[in-house]
Amino acid sequence: MRRILATVAILVCALTLAAGCGDSSSGSPGGSSAGTKTIDVTFSGDSVTPNGDRVQVSVGQRVELVVKAEKPGEIHVHSTPEQELPYHAGTTPLTLKAIDKPGIIEVESHALEKTIVQLEVR
């Protein structure tokens, strides 16, 4: 009887540990259990803030850029597929398409020839 109880206890522990090692992205529809990463972007004259900062995001995590600009323009995201996101004068929220591969994704303003942020996708 002790062997049976010991075997059952070991199986329960093993199953509990195996369940805890599952992929956290499997249970959420967006591909990631992490919330939305919001990045404030401000264009003022010939400058942009942030200016080349590296920002960590998770694979599949939703990324939103909140753009404040004096005049309209476009942001280029070097993801696969590439994304071109127009913005208006004033405040424009922009949502990036989900990034499903790890790596560094540059987000740029080609008009200013500046990197806004580098998304470090993990």
Side-chain angles (χ1 to χ4, degrees):
M1 184 68 168
R2 285 185 186 180
R3 284 187 184 169
I4 293 172
L5 290 176
T7 303
V8 169
I10 290 171
L11 287 174
V12 168
C13 289
L15 289 173
T16 302
L17 289 174
C21 293
D23 183 2
S24 65
S25 66
S26 63
S28 67
S32 174
S33 60
T36 300
K37 180 64 134 186
T38 302
I39 302 169
D40 293 325
V41 177
T42 303
F43 288 95
S44 180
D46 290 338
S47 65
V48 62
T49 304
N51 189 359
D53 295 355
R54 189 164 284 192
V55 177
Q56 292 183 0
V57 297
S58 300
V59 169
Q61 183 176 11
R62 180 183 165 128
V63 176
E64 182 177 73
L65 305 176
V66 179
V67 179
K68 294 176 185 164
E70 298 166 343
K71 57 185 179 180
E74 185 176 83
I75 291 176
H76 190 162
V77 182
H78 289 273
S79 59
T80 303
E82 291 195 5
Q83 302 174 56
E84 295 177 354
L85 306 170
Y87 58 86
H88 311 293
T91 301
T92 308
L94 303 171
T95 301
L96 278 60
K97 293 179 185 166
I99 300 169
D100 60 356
K101 296 179 184 171
I104 303 295
I105 305 294
E106 292 193 352
V107 179
E108 302 176 330
S109 166
H110 284 280
L112 295 179
E113 297 182 5
K114 294 185 180 188
T115 300
I116 300 167
V117 294
Q118 295 178 333
L119 299 175
E120 184 177 347
V121 184
R122 296 178 166 194

